[in-house]
Amino acid sequence: MVIAIVDTGIDLNHPDLKANLVPGVNLVNPKLPPQDDNGHGTNVAGIIAAVGGNDRGVAGMLWKAKLMPVKALESDGSGGNRSSEKAFAMPWTMGRKLWCCLWV
């Protein structure tokens, strides 16, 4: 299962997440990887699919689920309508059936 995390990105080097990451996309700055510069997206990703049983950090609900980072929000958590629209369409066009978006 691959879950698209539509948020501020994901820390691509996080020890509890790295093994579960698949290539993603940065809609804020397409020339850069979807690296989290806020922390929110990484927290959401960890709750969902942090690797478990490795004596580190936390364990997510779905230890073996794959995560696709979709960076659609700026470092301050804001995002415009254009990146939001692309963010909702992107996972579907890449064959993803499940995505997570936690915006206030």
Side-chain angles (χ1 to χ4, degrees):
M1 170 189 321
V2 177
I3 302 167
I5 306 294
V6 180
D7 208 297
T8 57
I10 295 177
D11 180 350
L12 304 176
N13 295 305
H14 194 287
D16 279 337
L17 300 174
K18 193 171 184 172
N20 289 344
L21 294 177
V22 300
V25 63
N26 184 335
L27 299 174
V28 175
N29 188 344
K31 294 180 181 179
L32 297 176
Q35 177 66 34
D36 192 353
D37 52 9
N38 174 286
H40 189 266
T42 300
N43 287 334
V44 171
I47 291 167
I48 295 171
V51 173
N54 63 357
D55 294 326
R56 287 189 187 146
V58 300
M61 295 180 294
L62 304 167
W63 297 3
K64 297 184 188 239
K66 296 299 181 186
L67 299 168
M68 182 178 81
V70 178
K71 180 170 178 55
L73 300 177
E74 302 276 351
S75 62
D76 65 359
S78 67
N81 289 339
R82 175 165 242 155
S83 64
S84 298
E85 290 170 8
K86 287 181 184 177
F88 285 112
M90 182 73 56
W92 293 104
T93 60
M94 297 178 81
R96 306 299 174 234
K97 304 287 187 237
L98 182 61
W99 50 263
C100 176
C101 175
L102 298 171
W103 297 347
V104 178

